[in-house]
Amino acid sequence: MIVLGSTSEVAQAFVEKCLQEGEKYERIYLLTSNRETTERFARHIDVKFLQQSEIIEIDLMKEINYHQLDHITSQLLFCATGFLGESTEDSLYDNKNSERIININYAKLVPLLNYFAHKFENQRSGTVIGLSSVAGERGRQSNFIYGSAKAAFTAYLSGLRNYLFDKKVHVMTVKPGFMDTKMTEGLPLNPKLTATPMQAAECIYKGYLKEKNVIYVLPIWGLIMLIIKNIPEFIFKKLKL
């Protein structure tokens, strides 16, 4: 298994779910920009599941050395890379904040995914699971920089799924709503609309087994976004969402 964004609580919960279900991996490749945090997780799965892993440092804000990835072979890639950034009025026109959001969620992430997608295409097998966001379904004033990057990522995954279908490679898009993670710590989230990392892992694993194309972690978000997408623009632009 290849894990991009391996410090993500959702990514770690998904890895644990797979191992709990008896999935066997010769090696789990943990790609991360935070070696210390990832090492703790690597030790955890080694002790609990006797699962070997390899940590590879990747920083999407820097030049990527693809040669360090040449030896990786896998049938499953899980991408949980993401960066929410600041969404206050003061940060709205902060170019550094915007660039970091766009680069980590899309611009610098896509070439890395393309690298592995090409490997899967050549071996004519594999599954790519990408965590996008409901924020990408319609631009809202509260997080439209983040939302625009996730919209682009959702479109990318859709196109990649279409392209890789006849190459025997499956691509699944995951659209979490509110998530109880470090990234959303301190935000006023409605508990009825918020999933835990383990809930997300359970949902994603079921979707993976059934080769779903697009899933919402909590089904209610499908209905919520259907309503939001169909609000007429002359009304929507007046709403404080």
Side-chain angles (χ1 to χ4, degrees), residues 43-60:
R43 288 194 297 270
H44 169 70
I45 60 174
D46 183 20
V47 171
K48 187 173 181 179
F49 301 102
L50 301 178
Q51 174 60 59
Q52 288 190 326
S53 61
E54 179 180 336
I55 298 172
I56 300 174
E57 290 189 72
I58 293 284
D59 188 339
L60 291 179

Side-chain angles (χ1 to χ4, degrees), residues 44-114:
H44 169 70
I45 60 174
D46 183 20
V47 171
K48 187 173 181 179
F49 301 102
L50 301 178
Q51 174 60 59
Q52 288 190 326
S53 61
E54 179 180 336
I55 298 172
I56 300 174
E57 290 189 72
I58 293 284
D59 188 339
L60 291 179
M61 297 304 293
K62 298 178 181 178
E63 189 77 22
I64 295 176
N65 175 16
Y66 284 95
H67 291 304
Q68 68 178 322
L69 309 176
D70 287 343
H71 67 289
I72 294 177
T73 58
S74 179
Q75 292 290 325
L76 174 60
L77 183 149
F78 187 89
C79 177
T81 300
F83 177 67
L84 185 60
E86 297 292 332
S87 56
T88 63
E89 288 188 18
D90 290 340
S91 65
L92 180 59
Y93 299 112
D94 181 341
N95 285 339
K96 287 186 177 179
N97 180 58
S98 296
E99 287 172 5
R100 188 169 178 82
I101 292 171
I102 294 166
N103 283 337
I104 293 176
N105 291 294
Y106 180 73
K108 296 293 183 68
L109 178 59
V110 164
L112 181 58
L113 281 174
N114 277 345

Side-chain angles (χ1 to χ4, degrees), residues 113-128:
L113 281 174
N114 277 345
Y115 173 84
F116 288 115
H118 191 212
K119 284 195 171 199
F120 283 16
E121 178 183 353
N122 288 338
Q123 69 191 24
R124 295 189 66 80
S125 64
T127 299
V128 176

